[in-house]
Amino acid sequence: MVMVPMNYQGFINLMTAQVNAGQISQDRIDDAVRRILRVKFLAGLFEKPMADRSLLQMVGSEEHRNLAREAVRKSLVLLKNGKDSTNPMLPLSKNAPKILVAGAHANDIGLQCGGWTITWQGSRGNTTVGTTILEGIKNAVSPTTQVDYLVSPDSGNAANGGYSYAVVVVGEPTYTEMFGDNDNLTIPQDGINLIQNVCSVVECAVILISGRPLVVEPHLPLMSAFVAAWLPGSGGQGVADVLFGDYDFQGKSPRTWFKNVNQLPMNIGDQSYDPLFPYNFGLTTGVGKTG
């Protein structure tokens, strides 16, 4: 199956010319079409070509949202917990007097969802129903805890706020396909600034929202905890579930996490395999449920 959304007429003309010239055999075309039709027949698309709308009212139901929240909890990967192994930061205290939540990604469902959401490239803003990470944190902490939210605090804001700890949420913009191409795979500069400004003066847990591993090694020493949240979609409450210890971390990294892009490609078994975090790495806190 060929998916050419724009210049499909040019593709059809070129392919037809190559078939006529004998560069592509008719048998090869027939084989491709036959396999596509076989799948459509098995799926019953010729008998029932239209969607069954009788279940439409279930879309976005509480059952679905609870399942999405569970998926978020189980997919988060804890990559660092404490600046040394004897002093873990997570789970966070629900009863801290005053905490800081920082970063645009902390309060933006569109950024949590990434691309292929509502629109092709996705977009910023609360484009669909759900909970942001900030909302999840506010729902999780004690009613007496003051939660300050700042998009881009400087070090003075963070140092002088009297915060028990900070949750810093950084990540990528929304993208799909070639619009996400990035030769350096670095955290966008505003996120780097945020980590440096906040984590240098307040004990902080950094949550990374991204569709892939990014270069974090230079900034890791500043972090007390580091969590790969990938793209948690509309279930920001699921992030809070594990940050505060109601559930333990279960996720393992599905990719080898590199130190820098010069190591790529890098795979298990390579003679020079020297990752920041190896494939299938993921810590637990030993606290909370695992469901």
Side-chain angles (χ1 to χ4, degrees), residues 33-179:
V33 173
R34 188 179 300 112
R35 286 183 284 114
I36 293 167
L37 290 175
R38 182 183 298 119
V39 172
K40 290 186 176 183
F41 276 117
L42 290 172
L45 291 182
F46 291 98
E47 292 78 16
K48 296 181 180 179
M50 307 303 291
D52 180 359
R53 296 183 177 272
S54 65
L55 301 177
L56 184 61
Q57 68 275 12
M58 292 186 62
V59 176
S61 65
E62 183 176 0
E63 180 183 1
H64 287 180
R65 295 193 182 281
N66 287 338
L67 187 61
R69 180 175 174 177
E70 179 185 350
V72 171
R73 290 196 299 263
K74 291 182 174 179
S75 63
L76 301 178
V77 181
L78 178 58
L79 296 169
K80 179 179 180 179
N81 190 19
K83 291 193 174 180
D84 63 73
S85 59
T86 64
N87 188 28
M89 182 182 183
L90 302 181
L92 300 174
S93 170
K94 295 182 179 181
N95 298 308
K98 188 179 182 182
I99 66 175
L100 172 64
V101 179
H105 283 72
N107 195 35
D108 193 305
I109 290 177
L111 290 176
Q112 288 176 190
C113 290
W116 297 113
T117 304
I118 310 299
T119 62
W120 178 33
Q121 293 296 319
S123 63
R124 299 182 66 144
N126 294 335
T127 56
T128 190
V129 177
T131 56
T132 67
I133 294 172
L134 174 63
E135 290 169 335
I137 291 172
K138 288 181 175 180
N139 291 335
V141 297
S142 164
T144 62
T145 298
Q146 178 178 330
V147 180
D148 285 359
Y149 172 60
L150 299 173
V151 174
S152 54
D154 58 31
S155 56
N157 297 140
N160 299 322
Y163 300 113
S164 300
Y165 57 80
V167 178
V168 175
V169 189
V170 299
E172 297 184 289
T174 64
Y175 61 82
T176 67
E177 301 184 44
M178 62 282 189
F179 292 97

